Amino acid sequence: MVFELINANPVVYEKKERRARSAPSDYSDEYAAEPIDQQEVFDHVRDIKDPEHPYSLEELKVITEDAIEVDDMQSYVRVTFTPTVEHCSMATIIGLCLRVKLLRSLPSRYKVDIRVAPGSHASEASVNKQLNDKERVAAALENPNLVDMVDECLAPSYG
Amino acid sequence: MELYEGGCELKLLETLEGHSDRVWSLAWNPVTAAAGTPLVFASCSGDKTVRIWENTPSHSASWTCKAVLEDTHTRTVRSCAWSPSGKLLATASFDATTAIWENVGGDYECVSTLEGHENEVKSVSWNASGTLLATCGRDKSVWIWELQPGNEFECVSVLQGHTQDVKMVQWHPSTDVLFSCSYDNTIKVWAGDDDDWQCVQTLGEPNSGHSSTVWALSFNASGDKMVTCSDDLTLKIWETDNIQMHSGDGYAPWRHLCTLTGYHDRSIFSVHWSSEGIIASGAADDAIRFFVENRDGLVDGPTYKLLLKKEKAHDMDINSIQWSSGEKRLLASASDDGTIKIWELASLCMENGH
């Protein structure tokens, strides 16, 4: 059975340069955990592969550094992503990938909200509601087929 | 209400570990602790097991895990409920089944498995007499089962009506009226008998209802009020006419009484009304909050105020909070952090004679 790609010709963007993290100054406590910031969260998710194409979410501009809001003091992150097309049925998969990667990468104290960029999707409210329903996400992640798909998308992002 | 005059505090009595995944729900055995008999509760988890915990008052008030109910459910166990006699435990699972367990001399045996839901079962509830069981799930339906001889169950009704995932079902404490709450933002009331059940009321946004998923509901002791909690960050109090409810028809309409807004920052997953009238809530911001009726001031009708907020009660989301059925102001909370905590709501000043 051949599936039609939802977006057969995505626009591919250049990747943002990767800035080296500056080494901590000599006089700071080398054992203190550095606060998690926007760049660090972006680094966790930028290389996640799009479910349909051999490009990363960064290359497709599905996710940008600016679209990540972090408040380390409050242990809060909000990620806003932009699906490549308005009625992308892959939106929930991408959202799930983001959620799983952050679940595995951030300390357990973190509260994470995921949403599609306002105006970027035909079923925006419905997609957002699903992505932020913890019980629905938990049940979805017990589906082996879905987990395989998610793991495949996440594989390039662990480098 | 001397407790509130002197102020109160929430004391952590014990933290129970054992589950290897998030704890979704817990339920106290309703057969209350008579002198010397232990308090018991069940907890269920993403680790696919159910644990039975017991506290022997004569010993050092410490809780032990008396049994692990495993190798039955093949996916997350989401919810559990004891029958009113305390002899049977129903467990609802994402594996689409509901298992019935019987305590046979300290060992728990699975005596029945209820199948029928198309996918994840999310909640299970017994009616006051223990003759009926209700379940609900992601397939948007609510099922009513009747207990037959030999611990068998017969499905007497499959109720359609919700347009989305049904999160919780709860029987009214004194009449056979069933309540359900859903991802479709509504609460539905179901009444009937034998195999003829209907939705007699829907509490939605037009009735001052919630604007997002309703996660749980709980009745006060007299059954004329209920509190619901939601992803919309509010608690809502509803009331009905008790006299009309207990008259022949057995059903009276519910109306919105008040909304508690501005107290919660994240989704409220659980709410429970104690026999004394204290409402406890457990939320995704890791905090436990207590609300009581506000007797001060000149307002039309009852309002509610925050009695106490316990921040960082757990390290992660609180999924369930339940008052014990015993006398002391004891309660238990279950969390994504895999632990269960036992608390006592104590007054700060010493009460005379205690």
Side-chain angles (χ1 to χ4, degrees):
Chain A
M1 213 166 140
V2 174
F3 292 98
E4 281 276 304
L5 284 184
I6 285 162
N7 184 5
N9 297 302
V11 180
V12 182
Y13 299 84
E14 272 180 28
K15 286 193 261 207
K16 197 174 167 169
E17 63 174 76
R18 285 157 203 251
R19 289 169 290 175
R21 309 288 318 216
S22 52
S25 330
D26 290 328
Y27 51 84
S28 66
D29 181 356
E30 63 185 286
Y31 294 112
E34 272 187 34
I36 290 166
D37 63 6
Q38 202 181 41
Q39 188 190 350
E40 183 173 342
V41 177
F42 185 58
D43 286 341
H44 284 308
V45 299
R46 67 199 300 177
D47 294 325
I48 294 172
K49 190 186 90 65
D50 179 271
E52 280 195 305
H53 310 99
Y55 296 107
S56 72
L57 296 184
E58 179 185 12
E59 286 170 312
L60 296 174
K61 269 215 160 108
V62 169
I63 181 85
T64 64
E65 194 171 328
D66 296 329
I68 296 174
E69 298 156 69
V70 184
D71 184 338
D72 191 62
M73 289 290 292
Q74 298 294 317
S75 305
Y76 178 71
V77 165
R78 182 164 74 169
V79 177
T80 303
F81 70 98
T82 308
T84 53
V85 283
E86 232 184 60
H87 19 267
C88 177
S89 62
M90 289 290 139
T92 45
I93 307 278
I94 294 170
L96 202 58
C97 287
L98 288 165
R99 198 170 265 297
V100 173
K101 185 70 209 298
L102 292 177
L103 188 70
R104 292 177 184 168
S105 314
L106 296 175
S108 60
R109 63 185 165 92
Y110 260 84
K111 305 296 178 189
V112 179
D113 285 341
I114 314 267
R115 62 170 189 166
V116 291
S120 71
H121 196 277
S123 312
E124 183 179 322
S126 157
V127 170
N128 287 342
K129 195 172 182 180
Q130 261 191 78
L131 290 178
N132 293 295
D133 181 316
K134 181 175 80 176
E135 189 185 60
R136 291 290 279 265
V137 170
L141 294 175
E142 288 187 347
N143 175 337
N145 294 330
L146 204 48
V147 172
D148 284 346
M149 202 187 302
V150 167
D151 281 338
E152 216 186 285
C153 294
L154 296 192
S157 74
Y158 290 106
Chain B
M1 294 282 200
E2 301 84 18
L3 178 72
Y4 316 127
E5 301 313 321
C8 46
E9 59 167 345
L10 187 63
K11 285 159 63 171
L12 175 63
L13 300 183
E14 201 162 340
T15 300
L16 305 176
E17 295 179 344
H19 281 295
S20 55
D21 201 310
R22 64 178 13 134
V23 189
W24 276 111
S25 201
L26 57 94
W28 291 91
N29 190 308
V31 176
T32 54
T37 65
L39 284 172
V40 172
F41 72 88
S43 63
C44 56
S45 166
D47 67 10
K48 308 175 199 169
T49 74
V50 177
R51 282 173 178 256
I52 311 294
W53 306 86
E54 199 175 284
N55 162 243
T56 315
S58 53
H59 291 241
S60 62
S62 192
W63 294 82
T64 50
C65 178
K66 299 299 278 187
V68 180
L69 281 48
E70 53 193 343
D71 300 326
T72 297
H73 285 301
T74 54
R75 286 183 60 180
T76 285
V77 189
R78 178 63 182 86
S79 164
C80 53
W82 295 92
S83 65
S85 67
K87 294 190 181 128
L88 297 175
L89 178 70
T91 58
S93 169
F94 283 1
D95 67 11
T97 73
T98 304
I100 310 295
W101 306 80
E102 189 176 14
N103 185 351
V104 183
D107 287 324
Y108 284 80
E109 279 177 29
C110 177
V111 295
S112 194
T113 304
L114 278 47
E115 295 176 346
H117 278 286
E118 286 171 29
N119 46 48
E120 298 93 54
V121 190
K122 306 229 166 153
S123 177
V124 61
S125 174
W126 297 83
N127 71 341
S129 55
T131 54
L132 299 172
L133 197 66
T135 57
C136 67
R138 182 166 65 88
D139 62 7
K140 308 172 195 164
S141 66
V142 171
W143 291 53
I144 299 180
W145 312 78
E146 199 174 58
L147 179 59
Q148 309 289 319
N151 290 330
E152 288 303 313
F153 284 82
E154 188 190 313
C155 172
V156 296
S157 196
V158 176
L159 303 167
Q160 310 286 358
H162 278 296
T163 56
Q164 293 277 0
D165 184 10
V166 190
K167 299 298 196 184
M168 190 198 203
V169 278
Q170 188 74 18
W171 288 96
H172 186 269
S174 54
T175 63
D176 283 347
V177 178
L178 182 65
F179 294 72
S180 59
C181 58
S182 166
Y183 184 101
D184 69 10
N185 309 349
T186 71
I187 297 126
K188 280 185 180 287
V189 186
W190 313 85
D193 50 29
D194 296 328
D195 58 357
D196 185 22
W197 290 81
Q198 311 289 335
C199 175
V200 293
Q201 196 177 11
T202 299
L203 301 171
E205 284 197 72
N207 322 82
S208 306
H210 288 288
S211 55
S212 190
T213 299
V214 188
W215 282 105
L217 65 99
S218 175
F219 295 95
N220 67 348
S222 53
D224 65 342
K225 289 196 180 64
M226 77 174 162
V227 57
T228 55
C229 65
S230 167
D231 181 63
D232 69 6
L233 314 182
T234 71
L235 295 180
K236 284 180 184 282
I237 315 283
W238 309 81
E239 68 173 355
T240 190
D241 187 333
N242 232 349
I243 297 161
Q244 190 185 347
M245 186 171 59
H246 285 99
S247 69
D249 295 329
Y251 163 69
W254 288 78
R255 57 188 171 274
H256 173 260
L257 186 60
C258 69
T259 297
L260 284 88
T261 190
Y263 297 101
H264 297 82
D265 309 311
R266 292 189 70 79
S267 227
I268 311 157
F269 290 124
S270 181
V271 68
H272 198 216
W273 211 322
S274 81
S275 53
E276 284 181 303
I278 308 170
I279 296 170
S281 75
D285 62 0
D286 314 344
I288 295 171
R289 292 169 177 80
F290 298 94
F291 297 87
V292 289
E293 202 173 311
N294 189 356
R295 298 272 165 86
D296 317 317
L298 305 158
V299 278
D300 306 308
T303 58
Y304 292 79
K305 63 178 179 186
L306 179 71
L307 175 69
L308 182 69
K309 174 183 175 185
K310 178 74 178 174
E311 287 185 353
K312 285 282 147 213
H314 278 272
D315 295 333
M316 292 173 75
D317 291 10
I318 295 169
N319 296 318
S320 182
I321 186 136
Q322 294 285 301
W323 292 96
S324 98
S325 27
E327 270 179 35
K328 281 171 65 173
R329 290 184 177 121
L330 206 67
L331 61 159
S333 59
S335 168
D336 276 355
D337 65 15
T339 72
I340 296 151
K341 291 189 178 188
I342 312 292
W343 311 85
E344 185 188 343
L345 186 64
S347 46
L348 286 174
C349 48
M350 300 298 286
E351 287 176 23
N352 291 334
H354 285 275

